[in-house]
Amino acid sequence: MESQVGLIEQSFHSSYSFCVREALVELPDNFTITDPCMSGHPIVFASHGFLKMTGYTETEVIGQNGRIFQGPGTSRRSVMEIREAIREERAIQIHLLNYRKDGTPFWMLFHMCPVFNKEDGRVIHFVGVQVPILRKPRRLGSGSGRNGVDLCEEGSTGMHDVVYGSCRREVCSDSLLELDHVLARESPVDTTNRGCAYAGFEIEEPCEASDMEKRRAVTAINNILSVLTHYSELTGKLVCGKRCSLSGVGLPSSSLNISLGRIKQSFVLIDPYLPDMPVVYASDAFLKLTGYARHEVLGHNYRFLSGLDTDSLTLCQIKESIKMERACTVRILNYRKDRSSFWNILHMSPVRNASGKIAYFVGVQTEEACKKQEEHEMSPEMRQLSAVGAVKVAVRSSSMAAGSSRS
Amino acid sequence: MLSIRRVPTVVSNYQKDEGEEGARRAGGCGRNCLNNCCLPGAKLPLYAFKKLNKAVSDVNLDVHENREPPVAFLDSLLLGEWEDRMQRGLFRYDVTACETKVIPGEYGFIAQLNEGRHLKKRPTEFRVDKVLQPFDGNKFNFTKVGQEEVLFQFEASEDGEVQFFPNAPIDAEHSPSVVAINVSPIEYGHVLLIPRLFERLPQRIDHESFLLALNMAVEAGNPYFRLGYNSLGAFATINHLHFQAYYLAVPFPIEKAPTKKIIKLDGGVKVSELLNYPVRGLVFEGGNTVDHLSNAVSDACICLQSNNIPYNVLISDCGRRVFLLPQCYAEKQALGEVSAELLDTQVNPAVWEISGHMVLKRRKDYEEASEGNAWRLLAEVSLSKERFQEVNALIFEAITSGDNGSGNAHGGQDPESHTHEKVDAIKKSSHPTMVAGTQECLVLQ
């Protein structure tokens, strides 16, 4: 994972000047910063407060996805809401049951907000603030307003947060055994009074952050954003908490980036509508295969992989299939950045967006030398097609949300 | 007998209109099908999944610790094989060329304009008042599909590890479960999971088959790959046991609906009721092991089908959440209780529509699609509040009685004998009587 550490550094320092870390460390709040452009949408910064609250060390957290803090009692619906907010590149404030390293659950108010590049309007990071909620009893169904009820109603489940009667303090793990007994005694349950009858010993623990806790989250977000903005001024790549311009020309949105980042194979997306049909996305595996850095690839025509001995007929074949909007597979001699050559089995296919129109062409590369198939593996051809399929699903779905609900 | 007329969905290129069928059934058919004539020597990829003795939520954590590539093997296999069939031109249309959008509103219903799906088929009579009907080998069934429409065999691994064989013989004796394409897809990757294909099971949930479907969702490990089930009378396509599945990387409205917990079963399965959703239904989630969740849902489904109550099931969130929705739309339609306006749209409210993914056949409906329209249609699908309470009482009796949740595998036989009295009770209350002794047994969708 050496390379990932480098990428994480890069994620940070391509947008902010060097001292940003020191400034962030000064902040007392519990928060993380994640990078949606990196494969797996990893955490690239975690505050001291956050580490203390969760019991993890920095190295255990950096590079991980935020889902490692979720557990059996975390509401799946809340997780989905966060996923949706990320996809739609908008802020969200939600109550969430997370787990510390030692496995104990705790409720917190999660406030997440995207950080935009001021120039091209792309999301470069998400900031997530976690304010632990001091538990106050709240009667089931007493919440008003859809949101209040929603967020908590199906909140916690699982053994960890089973609570006795009116005592709503967090239950330590050593009382679990005892709880098992209670559960055993209570069953088999009587169906005639379902609903309230069982709620006596195991309430869903609806909880709500106080206004003060909510304000704390907002203040923390604002503080972090102002630090990030300040330190981005020095790099000339200004960031801001509100989208300032429309999404960058032809470049995939951060939600599409997240989906594409999960695809582990070497591939690029080409925008056929821009002049000279530039590459607008390149996977990590592509950079590894060709030796180029991302910025050396994006915005350039795919022909930079060709060289002296590349067959021009094959290049024509690729052009032709793009023109005819058809898929094709060719064997082509390509060159890495260091000018070493390799035989590339290239599969190209049109990719349509939600309106059914071709949005990109995907090119999937397989180095021929690697083409030895193990007995129990998928064939390289099938692996290429699976990347094409995954790209098609990602592009189609991410463009559906355009007119989406909730802004 | 209650029936409705509708255009059946063409799921296979070997599915002929009624009447055309039959003539070609002499042996050695030469179309590379899955019957004895063509089976010898036939091979297909085989994916064997690891059987789990833990909850789905733990699975995710494990994957994370190992830092495995986020795209699971099954996911890749399915996408690759599907794309292969697409490039071979096996589908009736390119579903990615169909317009689709999220309808503005609180829930984000999803609309798709699909003008090609229902074409070239004559409307057929479908019986809707009998949820369980015997298998009829003369009707279209999945043993008649071409081998090229089958993507791979899917089964539990014998040695407890994931296994993949790119070219495994198809052993009919062994009765493999298979995943086949739906040639009329409603989204990318639309497939059918056919449990124990050669056993020619009718459309009816049993513990083993549901566990297989749930495991497929767990194995795919992709929250946007969901499985669905339609019972007969709730718009099932074919009376040969099958689940459907496809990819759509947006949340479904039903997944966003708030829920209210009703009960937690012995095996740790939480059962909740959907709130603020046009179709009344239950949500099953959690469970100490995948088996616990599977058994609880299977028990509920078996209860519904033996009480002749049509229903739909959605397996969502990598197999963590299962939605169960009893419905009565087809019955209302047969009784003439659905408005002409709704019928005109020709939308068949099966599991995907109920979950909030509306496949529309007319451009007009697509352009005018609104949350209100979607809501109005789905409200007709839902049981009434009173009826839902009655049905829930039956379900809760079934899932809290006896062995559920103990973790022991159920035997092959469904415990249906003890539900017979209830069948009678329910028939008297509000449901149309089953027609006894008829052999007609129309294929339903």
Side-chain angles (χ1 to χ4, degrees), chain A residues 273-312:
Chain A
Y273 303 109
L274 291 177
D276 203 30
M277 298 193 188
V279 170
V280 291
Y281 180 90
S283 70
D284 290 350
F286 175 85
L287 303 177
K288 200 173 160 214
L289 172 70
T290 62
Y292 287 100
R294 189 160 271 124
H295 69 269
E296 295 172 308
V297 170
L298 298 186
H300 294 86
N301 183 284
Y302 186 71
R303 77 175 81 83
F304 65 83
L305 283 186
S306 305
L308 268 183
D309 292 322
T310 305
D311 184 356
S312 56

mmCIF file of all heavy atoms in Angstrom, chain A residues 273-312:
data_model
loop_
_atom_site.group_PDB
_atom_site.id
_atom_site.type_symbol
_atom_site.label_atom_id
_atom_site.label_comp_id
_atom_site.label_asym_id
_atom_site.label_seq_id
_atom_site.Cartn_x
_atom_site.Cartn_y
_atom_site.Cartn_z
ATOM 1 N N TYR A 273 -17.205 14.061 -27.928
ATOM 2 C CA TYR A 273 -17.777 15.339 -28.355
ATOM 3 C C TYR A 273 -16.809 16.505 -28.212
ATOM 4 O O TYR A 273 -17.033 17.571 -28.747
ATOM 5 C CB TYR A 273 -19.057 15.637 -27.566
ATOM 6 C CG TYR A 273 -20.072 14.535 -27.721
ATOM 7 C CD1 TYR A 273 -20.368 13.672 -26.665
ATOM 8 C CD2 TYR A 273 -20.706 14.315 -28.942
ATOM 9 C CE1 TYR A 273 -21.273 12.633 -26.819
ATOM 10 C CE2 TYR A 273 -21.616 13.274 -29.107
ATOM 11 C CZ TYR A 273 -21.897 12.442 -28.038
ATOM 12 O OH TYR A 273 -22.772 11.409 -28.209
ATOM 13 N N LEU A 274 -15.755 16.305 -27.441
ATOM 14 C CA LEU A 274 -14.785 17.387 -27.266
ATOM 15 C C LEU A 274 -13.794 17.358 -28.425
ATOM 16 O O LEU A 274 -13.557 16.308 -29.021
ATOM 17 C CB LEU A 274 -14.057 17.229 -25.930
ATOM 18 C CG LEU A 274 -14.917 17.459 -24.680
ATOM 19 C CD1 LEU A 274 -14.088 17.209 -23.425
ATOM 20 C CD2 LEU A 274 -15.488 18.867 -24.674
ATOM 21 N N PRO A 275 -13.216 18.525 -28.739
ATOM 22 C CA PRO A 275 -12.247 18.575 -29.837
ATOM 23 C C PRO A 275 -11.112 17.581 -29.602
ATOM 24 O O PRO A 275 -10.590 17.492 -28.493
ATOM 25 C CB PRO A 275 -11.721 20.015 -29.783
ATOM 26 C CG PRO A 275 -12.706 20.778 -28.965
ATOM 27 C CD PRO A 275 -13.420 19.822 -28.092
ATOM 28 N N ASP A 276 -10.779 16.825 -30.597
ATOM 29 C CA ASP A 276 -9.684 15.851 -30.555
ATOM 30 C C ASP A 276 -9.951 14.687 -29.589
ATOM 31 O O ASP A 276 -9.046 13.927 -29.244
ATOM 32 C CB ASP A 276 -8.356 16.528 -30.194
ATOM 33 C CG ASP A 276 -7.178 15.701 -30.690
ATOM 34 O OD1 ASP A 276 -7.345 15.009 -31.718
ATOM 35 O OD2 ASP A 276 -6.122 15.736 -30.041
ATOM 36 N N MET A 277 -11.183 14.534 -29.171
ATOM 37 C CA MET A 277 -11.597 13.387 -28.346
ATOM 38 C C MET A 277 -10.621 13.048 -27.223
ATOM 39 O O MET A 277 -9.960 12.010 -27.245
ATOM 40 C CB MET A 277 -11.769 12.151 -29.234
ATOM 41 C CG MET A 277 -12.839 12.323 -30.288
ATOM 42 S SD MET A 277 -13.214 10.738 -31.003
ATOM 43 C CE MET A 277 -14.275 11.220 -32.353
ATOM 44 N N PRO A 278 -10.540 13.892 -26.217
ATOM 45 C CA PRO A 278 -9.557 13.653 -25.157
ATOM 46 C C PRO A 278 -9.987 12.557 -24.171
ATOM 47 O O PRO A 278 -11.172 12.242 -24.060
ATOM 48 C CB PRO A 278 -9.507 15.003 -24.435
ATOM 49 C CG PRO A 278 -10.877 15.565 -24.628
ATOM 50 C CD PRO A 278 -11.324 15.114 -25.989
ATOM 51 N N VAL A 279 -8.998 12.022 -23.480
ATOM 52 C CA VAL A 279 -9.248 11.132 -22.355
ATOM 53 C C VAL A 279 -9.777 11.992 -21.205
ATOM 54 O O VAL A 279 -9.185 13.022 -20.888
ATOM 55 C CB VAL A 279 -7.946 10.426 -21.928
ATOM 56 C CG1 VAL A 279 -8.133 9.683 -20.604
ATOM 57 C CG2 VAL A 279 -7.478 9.483 -23.022
ATOM 58 N N VAL A 280 -10.912 11.599 -20.603
ATOM 59 C CA VAL A 280 -11.443 12.390 -19.483
ATOM 60 C C VAL A 280 -11.400 11.616 -18.169
ATOM 61 O O VAL A 280 -11.685 12.150 -17.105
ATOM 62 C CB VAL A 280 -12.886 12.878 -19.753
ATOM 63 C CG1 VAL A 280 -12.889 13.916 -20.861
ATOM 64 C CG2 VAL A 280 -13.809 11.715 -20.100
ATOM 65 N N TYR A 281 -11.085 10.330 -18.250
ATOM 66 C CA TYR A 281 -10.894 9.554 -17.029
ATOM 67 C C TYR A 281 -9.857 8.478 -17.312
ATOM 68 O O TYR A 281 -9.859 7.870 -18.383
ATOM 69 C CB TYR A 281 -12.200 8.889 -16.569
ATOM 70 C CG TYR A 281 -12.029 8.068 -15.301
ATOM 71 C CD1 TYR A 281 -12.211 8.657 -14.052
ATOM 72 C CD2 TYR A 281 -11.619 6.731 -15.364
ATOM 73 C CE1 TYR A 281 -11.999 7.933 -12.893
ATOM 74 C CE2 TYR A 281 -11.415 5.999 -14.200
ATOM 75 C CZ TYR A 281 -11.616 6.599 -12.970
ATOM 76 O OH TYR A 281 -11.400 5.883 -11.816
ATOM 77 N N ALA A 282 -8.962 8.263 -16.356
ATOM 78 C CA ALA A 282 -7.990 7.174 -16.481
ATOM 79 C C ALA A 282 -7.922 6.450 -15.136
ATOM 80 O O ALA A 282 -7.808 7.098 -14.097
ATOM 81 C CB ALA A 282 -6.617 7.727 -16.847
ATOM 82 N N SER A 283 -8.042 5.131 -15.166
ATOM 83 C CA SER A 283 -8.040 4.373 -13.911
ATOM 84 C C SER A 283 -6.622 4.260 -13.344
ATOM 85 O O SER A 283 -5.639 4.431 -14.067
ATOM 86 C CB SER A 283 -8.618 2.976 -14.139
ATOM 87 O OG SER A 283 -7.727 2.193 -14.910
ATOM 88 N N ASP A 284 -6.547 3.963 -12.059
ATOM 89 C CA ASP A 284 -5.239 3.779 -11.414
ATOM 90 C C ASP A 284 -4.417 2.720 -12.146
ATOM 91 O O ASP A 284 -3.212 2.878 -12.353
ATOM 92 C CB ASP A 284 -5.415 3.355 -9.941
ATOM 93 C CG ASP A 284 -5.958 4.493 -9.087
ATOM 94 O OD1 ASP A 284 -6.009 5.635 -9.585
ATOM 95 O OD2 ASP A 284 -6.345 4.231 -7.932
ATOM 96 N N ALA A 285 -5.118 1.626 -12.536
ATOM 97 C CA ALA A 285 -4.403 0.536 -13.210
ATOM 98 C C ALA A 285 -3.836 0.999 -14.552
ATOM 99 O O ALA A 285 -2.773 0.539 -14.974
ATOM 100 C CB ALA A 285 -5.335 -0.664 -13.407
ATOM 101 N N PHE A 286 -4.532 1.920 -15.211
ATOM 102 C CA PHE A 286 -4.020 2.448 -16.479
ATOM 103 C C PHE A 286 -2.721 3.222 -16.247
ATOM 104 O O PHE A 286 -1.749 3.075 -16.989
ATOM 105 C CB PHE A 286 -5.062 3.362 -17.138
ATOM 106 C CG PHE A 286 -4.564 4.032 -18.395
ATOM 107 C CD1 PHE A 286 -4.648 3.376 -19.614
ATOM 108 C CD2 PHE A 286 -4.001 5.300 -18.354
ATOM 109 C CE1 PHE A 286 -4.178 3.979 -20.773
ATOM 110 C CE2 PHE A 286 -3.518 5.904 -19.514
ATOM 111 C CZ PHE A 286 -3.604 5.243 -20.724
ATOM 112 N N LEU A 287 -2.709 4.031 -15.183
ATOM 113 C CA LEU A 287 -1.515 4.822 -14.886
ATOM 114 C C LEU A 287 -0.347 3.904 -14.556
ATOM 115 O O LEU A 287 0.791 4.133 -14.956
ATOM 116 C CB LEU A 287 -1.805 5.792 -13.732
ATOM 117 C CG LEU A 287 -2.985 6.741 -13.974
ATOM 118 C CD1 LEU A 287 -3.245 7.604 -12.736
ATOM 119 C CD2 LEU A 287 -2.745 7.621 -15.197
ATOM 120 N N LYS A 288 -0.678 2.817 -13.845
ATOM 121 C CA LYS A 288 0.362 1.864 -13.466
ATOM 122 C C LYS A 288 0.914 1.163 -14.708
ATOM 123 O O LYS A 288 2.120 0.988 -14.856
ATOM 124 C CB LYS A 288 -0.233 0.842 -12.490
ATOM 125 C CG LYS A 288 0.798 0.122 -11.685
ATOM 126 C CD LYS A 288 0.167 -0.748 -10.608
ATOM 127 C CE LYS A 288 1.174 -1.793 -10.175
ATOM 128 N NZ LYS A 288 0.547 -3.060 -9.817
ATOM 129 N N LEU A 289 0.006 0.796 -15.602
ATOM 130 C CA LEU A 289 0.403 0.078 -16.813
ATOM 131 C C LEU A 289 1.262 0.945 -17.722
ATOM 132 O O LEU A 289 2.237 0.476 -18.311
ATOM 133 C CB LEU A 289 -0.856 -0.389 -17.569
ATOM 134 C CG LEU A 289 -0.673 -1.001 -18.965
ATOM 135 C CD1 LEU A 289 -0.001 -2.374 -18.856
ATOM 136 C CD2 LEU A 289 -2.004 -1.146 -19.682
ATOM 137 N N THR A 290 0.929 2.231 -17.829
ATOM 138 C CA THR A 290 1.582 3.074 -18.832
ATOM 139 C C THR A 290 2.669 3.974 -18.246
ATOM 140 O O THR A 290 3.452 4.544 -19.005
ATOM 141 C CB THR A 290 0.543 3.984 -19.514
ATOM 142 O OG1 THR A 290 -0.030 4.849 -18.526
ATOM 143 C CG2 THR A 290 -0.551 3.164 -20.171
ATOM 144 N N GLY A 291 2.676 4.101 -16.929
ATOM 145 C CA GLY A 291 3.713 4.907 -16.299
ATOM 146 C C GLY A 291 3.447 6.404 -16.308
ATOM 147 O O GLY A 291 4.273 7.194 -15.843
ATOM 148 N N TYR A 292 2.303 6.816 -16.829
ATOM 149 C CA TYR A 292 1.978 8.247 -16.829
ATOM 150 C C TYR A 292 1.307 8.652 -15.523
ATOM 151 O O TYR A 292 0.732 7.832 -14.820
ATOM 152 C CB TYR A 292 1.016 8.562 -17.985
ATOM 153 C CG TYR A 292 1.663 8.539 -19.343
ATOM 154 C CD1 TYR A 292 1.520 7.420 -20.176
ATOM 155 C CD2 TYR A 292 2.387 9.628 -19.814
ATOM 156 C CE1 TYR A 292 2.104 7.394 -21.439
ATOM 157 C CE2 TYR A 292 2.977 9.609 -21.071
ATOM 158 C CZ TYR A 292 2.830 8.488 -21.878
ATOM 159 O OH TYR A 292 3.411 8.461 -23.113
ATOM 160 N N ALA A 293 1.395 9.950 -15.212
ATOM 161 C CA ALA A 293 0.611 10.503 -14.100
ATOM 162 C C ALA A 293 -0.720 10.957 -14.672
ATOM 163 O O ALA A 293 -0.852 11.209 -15.872
ATOM 164 C CB ALA A 293 1.344 11.683 -13.476
ATOM 165 N N ARG A 294 -1.712 11.064 -13.782
ATOM 166 C CA ARG A 294 -3.069 11.377 -14.252
ATOM 167 C C ARG A 294 -3.111 12.673 -15.071
ATOM 168 O O ARG A 294 -3.719 12.719 -16.124
ATOM 169 C CB ARG A 294 -4.014 11.434 -13.052
ATOM 170 C CG ARG A 294 -5.470 11.540 -13.440
ATOM 171 C CD ARG A 294 -6.398 11.111 -12.317
ATOM 172 N NE ARG A 294 -6.693 9.686 -12.357
ATOM 173 C CZ ARG A 294 -6.472 8.851 -11.348
ATOM 174 N NH1 ARG A 294 -5.939 9.283 -10.233
ATOM 175 N NH2 ARG A 294 -6.765 7.580 -11.463
ATOM 176 N N HIS A 295 -2.432 13.705 -14.567
ATOM 177 C CA HIS A 295 -2.536 14.990 -15.274
ATOM 178 C C HIS A 295 -1.860 14.962 -16.640
ATOM 179 O O HIS A 295 -2.111 15.805 -17.477
ATOM 180 C CB HIS A 295 -1.971 16.124 -14.399
ATOM 181 C CG HIS A 295 -0.485 16.050 -14.229
ATOM 182 N ND1 HIS A 295 0.115 15.374 -13.181
ATOM 183 C CD2 HIS A 295 0.524 16.537 -14.986
ATOM 184 C CE1 HIS A 295 1.423 15.469 -13.305
ATOM 185 N NE2 HIS A 295 1.693 16.160 -14.388
ATOM 186 N N GLU A 296 -0.993 13.961 -16.857
ATOM 187 C CA GLU A 296 -0.348 13.855 -18.173
ATOM 188 C C GLU A 296 -1.261 13.179 -19.186
ATOM 189 O O GLU A 296 -0.977 13.156 -20.379
ATOM 190 C CB GLU A 296 0.948 13.040 -18.050
ATOM 191 C CG GLU A 296 1.992 13.721 -17.182
ATOM 192 C CD GLU A 296 3.188 12.815 -16.915
ATOM 193 O OE1 GLU A 296 2.966 11.664 -16.469
ATOM 194 O OE2 GLU A 296 4.316 13.247 -17.163
ATOM 195 N N VAL A 297 -2.340 12.610 -18.671
ATOM 196 C CA VAL A 297 -3.221 11.808 -19.510
ATOM 197 C C VAL A 297 -4.515 12.545 -19.806
ATOM 198 O O VAL A 297 -4.968 12.619 -20.945
ATOM 199 C CB VAL A 297 -3.529 10.468 -18.786
ATOM 200 C CG1 VAL A 297 -4.625 9.719 -19.498
ATOM 201 C CG2 VAL A 297 -2.261 9.645 -18.659
ATOM 202 N N LEU A 298 -5.107 13.122 -18.755
ATOM 203 C CA LEU A 298 -6.401 13.781 -18.905
ATOM 204 C C LEU A 298 -6.281 14.954 -19.875
ATOM 205 O O LEU A 298 -5.341 15.737 -19.799
ATOM 206 C CB LEU A 298 -6.937 14.268 -17.550
ATOM 207 C CG LEU A 298 -7.204 13.167 -16.522
ATOM 208 C CD1 LEU A 298 -7.869 13.760 -15.278
ATOM 209 C CD2 LEU A 298 -8.069 12.057 -17.104
ATOM 210 N N GLY A 299 -7.242 15.033 -20.763
ATOM 211 C CA GLY A 299 -7.255 16.140 -21.710
ATOM 212 C C GLY A 299 -6.477 15.856 -22.988
ATOM 213 O O GLY A 299 -6.491 16.662 -23.905
ATOM 214 N N HIS A 300 -5.785 14.705 -23.023
ATOM 215 C CA HIS A 300 -5.015 14.373 -24.217
ATOM 216 C C HIS A 300 -5.693 13.271 -25.017
ATOM 217 O O HIS A 300 -6.359 12.419 -24.467
ATOM 218 C CB HIS A 300 -3.599 13.926 -23.829
ATOM 219 C CG HIS A 300 -2.800 15.028 -23.226
ATOM 220 N ND1 HIS A 300 -2.853 15.319 -21.880
ATOM 221 C CD2 HIS A 300 -1.959 15.932 -23.786
ATOM 222 C CE1 HIS A 300 -2.054 16.350 -21.632
ATOM 223 N NE2 HIS A 300 -1.507 16.746 -22.772
ATOM 224 N N ASN A 301 -5.465 13.287 -26.321
ATOM 225 C CA ASN A 301 -5.996 12.223 -27.160
ATOM 226 C C ASN A 301 -5.261 10.921 -26.857
ATOM 227 O O ASN A 301 -4.070 10.923 -26.552
ATOM 228 C CB ASN A 301 -5.845 12.585 -28.638
ATOM 229 C CG ASN A 301 -6.467 11.523 -29.529
ATOM 230 O OD1 ASN A 301 -5.908 10.460 -29.730
ATOM 231 N ND2 ASN A 301 -7.652 11.814 -30.039
ATOM 232 N N TYR A 302 -6.024 9.844 -26.990
ATOM 233 C CA TYR A 302 -5.533 8.521 -26.634
ATOM 234 C C TYR A 302 -4.299 8.108 -27.444
ATOM 235 O O TYR A 302 -3.579 7.189 -27.074
ATOM 236 C CB TYR A 302 -6.683 7.535 -26.857
ATOM 237 C CG TYR A 302 -6.413 6.136 -26.400
ATOM 238 C CD1 TYR A 302 -6.336 5.838 -25.044
ATOM 239 C CD2 TYR A 302 -6.242 5.116 -27.327
ATOM 240 C CE1 TYR A 302 -6.092 4.551 -24.618
ATOM 241 C CE2 TYR A 302 -5.996 3.817 -26.898
ATOM 242 C CZ TYR A 302 -5.917 3.540 -25.550
ATOM 243 O OH TYR A 302 -5.670 2.272 -25.135
ATOM 244 N N ARG A 303 -4.041 8.826 -28.536
ATOM 245 C CA ARG A 303 -2.929 8.411 -29.399
ATOM 246 C C ARG A 303 -1.563 8.572 -28.748
ATOM 247 O O ARG A 303 -0.578 8.083 -29.279
ATOM 248 C CB ARG A 303 -2.974 9.159 -30.732
ATOM 249 C CG ARG A 303 -2.485 10.590 -30.706
ATOM 250 C CD ARG A 303 -2.452 11.191 -32.103
ATOM 251 N NE ARG A 303 -3.757 11.646 -32.537
ATOM 252 C CZ ARG A 303 -4.280 12.849 -32.202
ATOM 253 N NH1 ARG A 303 -3.607 13.684 -31.442
ATOM 254 N NH2 ARG A 303 -5.464 13.215 -32.646
ATOM 255 N N PHE A 304 -1.512 9.203 -27.590
ATOM 256 C CA PHE A 304 -0.197 9.326 -26.941
ATOM 257 C C PHE A 304 0.407 7.965 -26.588
ATOM 258 O O PHE A 304 1.573 7.863 -26.288
ATOM 259 C CB PHE A 304 -0.264 10.221 -25.688
ATOM 260 C CG PHE A 304 -1.100 9.673 -24.570
ATOM 261 C CD1 PHE A 304 -0.575 8.748 -23.679
ATOM 262 C CD2 PHE A 304 -2.433 10.072 -24.404
ATOM 263 C CE1 PHE A 304 -1.346 8.237 -22.646
ATOM 264 C CE2 PHE A 304 -3.195 9.553 -23.385
ATOM 265 C CZ PHE A 304 -2.667 8.640 -22.500
ATOM 266 N N LEU A 305 -0.425 6.913 -26.638
ATOM 267 C CA LEU A 305 0.106 5.571 -26.363
ATOM 268 C C LEU A 305 0.788 4.981 -27.598
ATOM 269 O O LEU A 305 1.470 3.974 -27.518
ATOM 270 C CB LEU A 305 -1.017 4.638 -25.917
ATOM 271 C CG LEU A 305 -1.512 4.775 -24.479
ATOM 272 C CD1 LEU A 305 -2.512 3.671 -24.173
ATOM 273 C CD2 LEU A 305 -0.361 4.715 -23.482
ATOM 274 N N SER A 306 0.529 5.589 -28.749
ATOM 275 C CA SER A 306 1.107 5.035 -29.975
ATOM 276 C C SER A 306 2.544 5.497 -30.148
ATOM 277 O O SER A 306 2.980 6.463 -29.526
ATOM 278 C CB SER A 306 0.294 5.498 -31.187
ATOM 279 O OG SER A 306 -1.048 5.167 -31.007
ATOM 280 N N GLY A 307 3.255 4.802 -31.037
ATOM 281 C CA GLY A 307 4.640 5.164 -31.300
ATOM 282 C C GLY A 307 5.038 4.745 -32.703
ATOM 283 O O GLY A 307 4.176 4.386 -33.527
ATOM 284 N N LEU A 308 6.338 4.753 -32.933
ATOM 285 C CA LEU A 308 6.894 4.487 -34.262
ATOM 286 C C LEU A 308 6.327 3.249 -34.940
ATOM 287 O O LEU A 308 5.910 3.296 -36.087
ATOM 288 C CB LEU A 308 8.421 4.311 -34.133
ATOM 289 C CG LEU A 308 9.257 5.580 -34.314
ATOM 290 C CD1 LEU A 308 10.731 5.224 -34.230
ATOM 291 C CD2 LEU A 308 8.902 6.238 -35.658
ATOM 292 N N ASP A 309 6.304 2.135 -34.191
ATOM 293 C CA ASP A 309 5.941 0.872 -34.828
ATOM 294 C C ASP A 309 4.466 0.517 -34.678
ATOM 295 O O ASP A 309 4.059 -0.606 -34.949
ATOM 296 C CB ASP A 309 6.802 -0.263 -34.256
ATOM 297 C CG ASP A 309 8.260 -0.092 -34.693
ATOM 298 O OD1 ASP A 309 8.453 0.331 -35.855
ATOM 299 O OD2 ASP A 309 9.166 -0.348 -33.882
ATOM 300 N N THR A 310 3.678 1.469 -34.206
ATOM 301 C CA THR A 310 2.250 1.195 -34.091
ATOM 302 C C THR A 310 1.640 1.151 -35.488
ATOM 303 O O THR A 310 1.884 2.030 -36.313
ATOM 304 C CB THR A 310 1.554 2.282 -33.250
ATOM 305 O OG1 THR A 310 2.216 2.371 -31.989
ATOM 306 C CG2 THR A 310 0.093 1.956 -33.032
ATOM 307 N N ASP A 311 0.858 0.124 -35.744
ATOM 308 C CA ASP A 311 0.265 -0.074 -37.061
ATOM 309 C C ASP A 311 -0.842 0.966 -37.289
ATOM 310 O O ASP A 311 -1.811 1.030 -36.536
ATOM 311 C CB ASP A 311 -0.316 -1.502 -37.112
ATOM 312 C CG ASP A 311 -0.860 -1.824 -38.488
ATOM 313 O OD1 ASP A 311 -0.848 -0.931 -39.363
ATOM 314 O OD2 ASP A 311 -1.302 -2.965 -38.684
ATOM 315 N N SER A 312 -0.684 1.742 -38.345
ATOM 316 C CA SER A 312 -1.661 2.818 -38.572
ATOM 317 C C SER A 312 -3.015 2.242 -38.993
ATOM 318 O O SER A 312 -4.050 2.858 -38.786
ATOM 319 C CB SER A 312 -1.139 3.811 -39.608
ATOM 320 O OG SER A 312 -0.827 3.121 -40.795
#
